[in-house]
Amino acid sequence: MIDWPQIVREHGPAVWRSCFRLLGNRADADECFQETFAAALGAIRQPSTVVRNWSGFLVRLAVARAVDRLRQRVRRTSHEHAGIEPAALIDRRTDSRPAVAAERSELSDRLRDALSHLPPNQAGAFVLHCLEGWSYRETAEQLEISVDHVGVLVHRARAALRERIDAILPDAPRPEATRTLPTDTVTQATTPTTTKRGAL
Amino acid sequence: MNSNHNHTTDARRPNDDERELDRHIDALRGDTGDGPSPELLAATIRMLDGQAGDDASSTAEFPRFVRTSGSRSIEPTRRFTMTFAQRIYAALSLAAAACVLYFMFVLFNASGPRVAFAQVLEKVTNAKAMAFTTTTEVPGGKQTVVMRTIQDDADHMRIESGNNVTIRSGDVMLILDATNKTATRMDLSGLPKKNGGGGGGGGLLDLNALRALSDKPAEELGAKTIDGVETTGFRIPWNNGGTFTVWADQKAAIPVRVELTIPMGTVTAKAIVDHFDFNPAIDATTFSTEVPEGYALNVQKLDLANAAPDKAAEAVAAFLKLYTSHSGGAFPADLTDWTTNTRVITEGGGTVDPMMTGTLSGQLFSLRDGYHYAGKGARLGEKDKVVFWYRVSKDQPYRGVYGDLRIEQLPADQVPSTQPTTK
């Protein structure tokens, strides 16, 4: 007999945080939270389902549902708000928050938007490993794939996210990049340089 | 080359991009909100307790996501609405298929030497399975629904529409929603038994069940070319007020296109059935009711014993009881104006189970001889007024629902003579 009240109380906060992290607003996170537990109930009824790690099981379900919602949200808003960046439609914090918090909010929104464009398996592996902090082995166990496969998915996800973020704001300042462009650069031919730092 | 040149305006350094991504990850990792509200936790526990108690609810309800203050509901009505519409469209689809076969049999038999009778008979009676596409418009519906149906002579059916698949295999029906990764398995009971054997029914062609559809002569419409095929058209009026028009290939003796009009209260649905395929390829997965991996499963029981046409009076009385208890005693002006009727009930503080209205709608639709509703202007308690009456077939007596919601068989002299709203 499963003690659902205990499971909800013990693991609910972590599940909710996983939902909120990806969806960015309380209303969506609440709905995703309930969907997660409904899905868990349905999964438990399958004779083949044995849960050894409730936290991992529930967070994995939550992440999958949140990623789906994120993808649906972007698809829906791209039809309804042509010309408006989907990230602009995610709840934003008010301008009264400190600048640092506002900047972090913007970074979060941008990454959410980029995540919504990933294939679900890449997004899931990336979220569990890079955002939830799971090891490759833990991620592999919950997704029921090999550790190598997790590595491939995360690698591809990161590459796609880099590209996507770069495309969203290609002129965003790189805070730690070294820019020492000599003043006569623009007149030089764009031939590959033989120096190490300029090598392509 | 300028040795100071370590960054061009066009090249990106991988490390820069990695650091940029890590900044984003770091920001999102910490963006976890304030946590779930106590209300949400309590509501979720209530939801789980309500569903975990019995594995298959006898009330056949979808999971009720509990609304918490300050957040939206999960829109369970959206799923209800989709399934309700699916049932209506599925009913239309099946009716269209059945009629196609029957009328093709009858019409080509009656059309004389244009098509060899033996050809038609062989094709129809030997068919083990059939596939076709149904395009349905319901006035007031938000879109035209296109469905592809495959069915065989062993009580299996598969309907695909958009991201939804419905599979029926005997007493099990599985509804899959690929968008939301949900599966609803319905264990059906009280199914009507199919007529069979004796050349009059069974399999894909159930003549015994279909003969009552129309006793009116067919109107020949002449020839028409459809998709490059020379066809002959016939229109048959149904007893329930609808029409059935079939355009059939003169040479191959198979339908090319079927057009249906189906009265549904104050509106008329239209359906087109085409792209027929007799004995299509079927494999072990076509009618499989196994739940795909990754789908959340919900199991329900659905007792259809009271969903048969001959129980229409009981279903109507139940609906009218619900309606009048929230309308101050007034009966609906139009029995099948579900939108208005649902609004009246909900504004009166009640709730409408789409399963109830969906089943009732299907029952009314399947009454081959139509039904009659005279509740407009009537009030609960008018014990001498018959507000609803019907008969399952011409050799059966009428059954009626009175203004006080009692159900009785109507003697011939008590059947109302006026036909107020629908046939």
Side-chain angles (χ1 to χ4, degrees):
Chain A
M1 186 72 176
I2 295 174
D3 187 352
W4 284 110
Q6 175 59 27
I7 289 172
V8 170
R9 290 189 198 102
E10 183 177 340
H11 302 289
V15 171
W16 191 90
R17 284 195 296 271
S18 298
C19 296
F20 184 92
R21 181 185 283 128
L22 287 176
L23 297 171
N25 68 80
R26 177 168 287 276
D28 284 347
D30 283 357
E31 291 181 358
C32 184
F33 179 87
Q34 290 197 320
E35 284 181 2
T36 298
F37 278 95
L41 178 62
I44 288 300
R45 287 173 172 164
Q46 299 291 319
S48 57
T49 302
V50 176
V51 180
R52 295 188 182 86
N53 176 353
W54 274 99
S55 174
F57 173 68
L58 290 169
V59 168
R60 189 251 299 170
L61 289 178
V63 165
R65 264 138 200 82
V67 165
D68 273 350
R69 276 184 166 259
L70 207 56
R71 290 161 60 83
Q72 288 173 29
R73 177 197 290 170
V74 169
R75 279 202 295 273
R76 194 167 55 240
T77 54
S78 68
H79 286 121
E80 295 169 357
H81 303 278
I84 301 175
E85 280 292 324
L89 297 167
I90 296 173
D91 288 0
R92 290 199 172 277
R93 297 180 185 172
T94 65
D95 291 335
S96 60
R97 291 176 69 97
V100 170
E103 186 193 14
R104 288 179 72 84
S105 176
E106 190 165 337
L107 292 172
S108 298
D109 290 346
R110 199 178 300 140
L111 183 53
R112 288 188 186 103
D113 177 68
L115 272 169
S116 68
H117 293 273
L118 288 184
N121 57 349
Q122 285 183 22
F126 172 85
V127 170
L128 292 175
H129 177 65
C130 300
L131 296 180
E132 295 291 334
W134 291 9
S135 67
Y136 274 10
R137 184 169 299 282
E138 288 168 333
T139 304
E141 191 179 303
Q142 282 299 330
L143 295 181
E144 296 180 348
I145 56 178
S146 69
V147 171
D148 287 344
H149 194 183
V150 171
V152 169
L153 290 173
V154 171
H155 175 75
R156 288 177 181 169
R158 291 185 68 101
L161 290 171
R162 283 195 302 272
E163 196 175 318
R164 180 76 194 175
I165 287 171
D166 191 51
I168 291 174
L169 286 177
D171 296 324
R174 308 281 192 233
E176 296 179 45
T178 303
R179 292 178 177 267
T180 55
L181 294 171
T183 54
D184 61 349
T185 301
V186 294
T187 62
Q188 291 185 346
T190 54
T191 51
T193 171
T194 57
T195 63
K196 282 186 182 176
R197 300 186 85 177
L200 295 175
Chain B
M1 290 292 171
N2 188 332
S3 61
N4 290 329
H5 181 210
N6 55 17
H7 184 88
T8 70
T9 53
D10 294 327
R12 300 277 180 207
R13 296 198 300 178
N15 285 346
D16 294 340
D17 292 335
E18 278 294 330
R19 279 192 282 269
E20 188 63 32
L21 177 58
D22 288 338
R23 282 181 68 224
H24 286 73
I25 291 171
D26 186 57
L28 187 55
R29 192 182 285 137
D31 191 357
T32 55
D34 300 327
S37 65
E39 193 182 13
L40 174 66
L41 294 177
T44 304
I45 291 171
R46 285 199 306 274
M47 175 189 79
L48 292 168
D49 276 346
Q51 294 179 50
D54 50 341
D55 210 37
S57 167
S58 60
T59 59
E61 287 186 348
F62 281 102
R64 294 277 183 192
F65 291 105
V66 182
R67 184 189 298 264
T68 62
S69 61
S71 76
R72 298 192 299 271
S73 67
I74 301 228
E75 299 184 69
T77 52
R78 176 172 62 83
R79 298 184 188 176
F80 279 111
T81 301
M82 287 170 61
T83 307
F84 168 72
Q86 268 191 307
R87 281 199 292 276
I88 297 300
Y89 298 137
L92 296 176
S93 181
L94 290 172
C99 292
V100 161
L101 294 169
Y102 172 62
F103 285 110
M104 185 178 67
F105 178 89
V106 170
L107 293 172
F108 280 95
N109 189 26
S111 67
R114 244 190 302 189
V115 176
F117 177 76
Q119 282 179 289
V120 177
L121 191 62
E122 181 186 17
K123 194 158 294 182
V124 171
T125 57
N126 289 342
K128 295 297 181 187
M130 181 173 73
F132 52 90
T133 299
T134 310
T135 306
T136 308
E137 279 181 28
V138 177
K142 293 191 176 166
Q143 57 186 357
T144 298
V145 177
V146 180
M147 300 160 56
R148 182 72 182 165
T149 302
I150 305 173
Q151 60 186 96
D152 69 7
D153 61 351
D155 210 14
H156 299 120
M157 179 192 72
R158 179 187 181 97
I159 299 177
E160 296 178 6
S161 179
N163 284 336
N164 298 302
V165 177
T166 301
I167 301 166
R168 155 99 185 278
S169 183
D171 294 342
V172 176
M173 187 159 74
L174 185 70
I175 302 168
L176 301 174
D177 182 340
T179 301
N180 297 298
K181 295 280 193 295
T182 59
T184 302
R185 194 187 81 207
M186 292 193 173
D187 296 326
L188 309 174
S189 58
L191 286 168
K193 295 193 174 14
K194 289 183 70 172
N195 295 325
L204 282 175
L205 185 61
D206 190 344
L207 289 178
N208 291 334
L210 298 173
R211 282 200 177 98
L213 280 172
S214 177
D215 54 8
K216 300 176 176 55
E219 173 192 358
E220 187 164 340
L221 302 177
K224 183 159 92 171
T225 302
I226 297 176
D227 295 333
V229 178
E230 291 295 317
T231 68
T232 299
F234 297 89
R235 177 173 294 137
I236 305 98
W238 283 358
N239 288 341
N240 65 2
T243 59
F244 176 95
T245 303
V246 59
W247 296 94
D249 187 328
Q250 295 173 7
K251 295 177 185 172
I254 56 172
V256 173
R257 179 184 171 104
V258 173
E259 299 164 359
L260 301 157
T261 62
I262 302 111
M264 297 175 70
T266 56
V267 299
T268 299
K270 297 177 185 176
I272 293 174
V273 188
D274 55 13
H275 297 105
F276 293 93
D277 184 8
F278 284 90
N279 295 322
I282 292 174
D283 60 31
T285 63
T286 303
F287 301 120
S288 171
T289 53
E290 278 191 27
V291 178
E293 199 172 320
Y295 278 63
L297 175 65
N298 175 43
V299 179
Q300 304 172 19
K301 286 181 180 171
L302 183 58
D303 184 3
L304 296 175
N306 287 326
D310 61 349
K311 297 291 185 183
E314 284 76 6
V316 168
F319 179 75
L320 292 176
K321 180 179 179 182
L322 171 67
Y323 184 93
T324 54
S325 64
H326 298 290
S327 68
F331 283 94
D334 179 345
L335 179 62
T336 57
D337 184 355
W338 306 117
T339 303
T340 300
N341 294 342
T342 298
R343 187 176 66 242
V344 169
I345 293 169
T346 53
E347 287 177 357
T351 57
V352 181
D353 180 1
M355 189 70 75
M356 170 198 248
T357 53
T359 303
L360 176 55
S361 186
Q363 281 174 292
L364 296 176
F365 170 73
S366 61
L367 289 174
R368 295 165 195 143
D369 209 29
Y371 61 92
H372 312 281
Y373 178 70
K376 183 177 180 180
R379 297 194 63 81
L380 182 66
E382 295 183 32
K383 61 185 181 61
D384 294 326
K385 183 172 178 59
V386 182
V387 298
F388 175 84
W389 66 100
Y390 73 103
R391 61 182 175 184
V392 177
S393 60
K394 285 186 166 42
D395 59 351
Q396 297 290 320
Y398 278 96
R399 297 181 76 221
V401 178
Y402 286 80
D404 57 358
L405 300 186
R406 77 183 188 280
I407 299 169
E408 289 185 5
Q409 186 172 302
L410 299 181
D413 62 346
Q414 289 191 23
V415 177
S417 56
T418 56
Q419 310 295 326
T421 48
T422 186
K423 192 171 184 299

